[in-house]
């Protein structure tokens, strides 16, 4: 749904690329033939889709999980790796947040929780099928991953595009820039290279039926993130504060003790990551889709 073959140019001669729909059991069965391990990352991501397409988010989440599990069992694939999400625990009771916190859907009427709800179902299926049908069932929860060419529906790409537009429309040193809330909300952003290192350590050394938080424990305020992005355009932000979207999490920062025990150590600072990401989204703004895709 959001893929682009240009991202695979460097490895296309070393992979078999199968075009199919995760909701189609036959397509998934065909793709899994001959595999030793199944790594399930297919989902509908991007916060704006949680609100605009909640039924599709759940359909892809639940059908996709069942189809991949059944394909693995059909072929006797004994290793299954599930990409879950920090959204499964929503507003955490403790920061940094360990893997053992309760998983909740705070308000079933809020479409935002379609995403977290689908991931909770996926984790339940993984753990319980893992007991009986798999030698290695691994779950990892990404936490605010960012990097060049990683979609347009997340906070950093959207801030870059808004900063670009604000700079183009203003000649002064200071530009008007809107953020939700007072900006004291926090996230812990992990750069894509560190994230890949983290999930590879889970795949290579993680324990059966265990869950691992993959992220960084360096918390950043949203107002500081916005300021750093605008400053990379050579301007200063004048912040305009908007109401927080219902269901937004005030703070998020994972406890990565379990992942560190596997040898993980995130190396890229937020400043270093933004130095790479902001220019990419600024210079490739023309690639941003003008409308949402249809499925």
């Amino acid at each position: 749904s959001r893929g682009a073959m240009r991202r695979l140019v460097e490895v296309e001669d070393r992979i078999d690329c199968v075009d199919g729909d995760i909701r189609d059991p036959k397509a998934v069965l065909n793709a899994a033939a001959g595999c030793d391990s199944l790594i399930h990352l297919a989902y509908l991501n991007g916060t704006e889709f949680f609100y605009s397409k909640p039924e599709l988010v759940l359909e892809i989440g639940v059908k996709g999980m069942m189809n991949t599990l059944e394909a693995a069992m059909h072929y006797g694939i004994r290793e299954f790796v599930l990409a879950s999400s920090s959204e499964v625990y929503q507003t955490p009771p403790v920061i940094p947040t360990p893997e053992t916190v309760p998983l909740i859907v705070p308000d079933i009427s809020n479409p935002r929780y379609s995403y977290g709800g689908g991931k909770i179902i996926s984790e339940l299926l993984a753990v319980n099928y893992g007991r009986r049908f798999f030698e290695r069932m691994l779950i990892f929860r990404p936490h605010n991953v960012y990097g060049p060419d990683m979609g347009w529906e997340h906070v950093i790409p959207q801030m870059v595009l808004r900063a670009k537009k604000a700079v183009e429309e203003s000649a002064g040193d200071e530009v008007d820039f809107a953020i939700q809330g007072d900006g004291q909300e926090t996230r812990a952003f992990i750069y894509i290279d560190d994230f890949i290192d983290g999930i590879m350590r889970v795949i290579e050394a993680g324990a059966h039926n265990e869950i691992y938080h993959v992220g960084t424990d360096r918390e950043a305020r949203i107002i500081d993130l916005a300021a750093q992005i605008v400053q990379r355009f050579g301007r200063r932000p004048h912040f305009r504060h908007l109401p927080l979207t219902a269901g937004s999490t005030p703070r998020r920062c994972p406890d990565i003790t379990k992942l560190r025990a596997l040898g993980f150590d995130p190396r890229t600072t937020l400043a270093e990551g933004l130095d790479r990401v902001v220019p990419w989204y600024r210079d490739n703004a023309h690639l941003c889709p003008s409308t949402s895709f249809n499925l």
Side-chain angles (χ1 to χ4, degrees):
S1 60
R2 299 192 303 160
M5 287 302 296
R6 67 173 184 276
R7 299 182 182 129
L8 301 175
V9 169
E10 295 180 2
V11 296
E12 61 182 351
D13 61 339
R14 291 185 281 139
I15 61 173
D16 292 326
C17 185
V18 180
D19 187 9
D21 191 325
I22 196 74
R23 299 171 295 180
D24 179 357
K26 291 183 179 179
V28 177
L29 197 64
N30 291 337
C35 293
D36 300 311
S37 176
L38 197 155
I39 305 174
H40 178 30
L41 301 102
Y43 211 77
L44 184 53
N45 202 354
T47 306
E48 70 177 62
F49 296 132
F50 306 170
Y51 293 97
S52 64
K53 299 176 182 288
E55 74 292 339
L56 183 60
V57 171
L58 283 164
E59 181 188 2
I60 291 170
V62 178
K63 286 185 178 179
M65 186 62 186
M66 287 306 305
N67 287 342
T68 50
L69 282 171
E70 288 173 359
M73 291 185 294
H74 177 83
Y75 291 114
I77 300 171
R78 304 295 289 171
E79 180 177 271
F80 192 106
V81 183
L82 170 67
S84 184
S85 170
S86 58
E87 291 280 332
V88 295
Y89 60 76
Q90 302 302 329
T91 303
V94 60
I95 300 286
T97 305
E99 291 84 351
T100 52
V101 295
L103 310 188
I104 61 170
V105 176
D107 179 4
I108 198 169
S109 66
N110 187 333
R112 176 189 178 90
Y113 300 124
S114 57
Y115 185 86
K119 288 296 190 182
I120 291 173
I121 294 169
S122 296
E123 287 199 16
L124 282 168
L125 288 166
V127 169
N128 288 289
Y129 274 71
R131 290 192 180 100
R132 181 176 177 186
F133 298 106
F134 296 91
E135 294 173 2
R136 292 187 78 222
M137 173 64 74
L138 305 164
I139 300 172
F140 67 87
R141 296 176 183 158
H143 286 69
N144 293 100
V145 188
Y146 73 103
D149 200 7
M150 285 188 61
W152 303 89
E153 301 82 14
H154 307 283
V155 60
I156 289 178
Q158 290 184 348
M159 280 189 174
V160 173
L161 294 182
R162 289 198 292 112
K164 181 177 186 294
K165 186 173 185 291
V167 166
E168 291 171 348
E169 294 176 350
S170 173
D173 290 335
E174 190 174 72
V175 297
D176 181 72
F177 199 84
I179 59 173
Q180 291 189 16
D182 60 7
Q184 303 306 306
E185 298 78 20
T186 68
R187 296 293 184 270
F189 295 95
I190 182 169
Y191 189 68
I192 183 62
D193 291 357
D194 290 333
F195 173 70
I196 292 171
D197 179 47
I199 62 174
M200 290 307 300
R201 290 181 186 274
V202 171
I203 292 169
E204 292 167 358
H208 174 55
N209 252 6
E210 288 290 335
I211 301 168
Y212 296 87
H213 283 175
V214 180
T216 176
D217 47 14
R218 302 167 187 160
E219 231 175 326
R221 298 188 308 167
I222 295 300
I223 197 167
D224 296 331
L225 170 69
Q228 290 191 58
I229 289 173
V230 174
Q231 288 163 5
R232 279 165 174 74
F233 285 84
R235 303 292 182 86
R236 292 180 293 109
H238 172 72
F239 289 114
R240 180 164 45 90
H241 298 276
L242 304 175
L244 276 173
T245 303
S248 296
T249 302
R251 291 181 67 191
R252 180 175 292 146
C253 179
D255 184 333
I256 55 173
T257 301
K258 284 179 67 173
L259 191 58
R260 286 188 185 279
L262 302 183
F264 176 71
D265 184 27
R267 294 179 174 83
T268 309
T269 66
L270 181 59
E272 292 169 338
L274 291 177
D275 284 342
R276 305 169 194 170
V277 170
V278 172
W280 192 93
Y281 280 100
R282 179 197 64 207
D283 298 340
N284 292 279
H286 60 282
L287 296 176
C288 180
S290 57
T291 58
S292 297
F293 58 83
N294 293 311
L295 282 176

